[in-house]
Amino acid sequence: MFTHEQTVSLTVSVGLAQIPAKATLPQAIKLADDALYAAKAAGRNCLSVAA
């Protein structure tokens, strides 16, 4: 439980992927996963878009 005197810091890394209509599920997951890892590698509070 947090009180009004406590501060919480959050960071977010987001990977965004546009999945081609003919992509299989494993291909779609890999695109999204690669984008997420690129965002994590770029630092905190980053968004990476799969190309």
Side-chain angles (χ1 to χ4, degrees):
M1 184 76 128
F2 295 105
T3 67
H4 294 287
E5 293 140 13
Q6 293 175 314
T7 301
V8 177
S9 296
L10 299 175
T11 61
V12 177
S13 296
V14 177
L16 180 67
Q18 183 173 353
I19 309 302
K22 295 186 180 207
T24 64
L25 181 59
Q27 290 169 331
I29 291 171
K30 176 144 179 35
L31 281 171
D33 194 49
D34 288 348
L36 175 58
Y37 278 97
K40 287 182 176 185
R44 294 184 176 126
N45 299 319
C46 288
L47 167 68
S48 177
V49 179

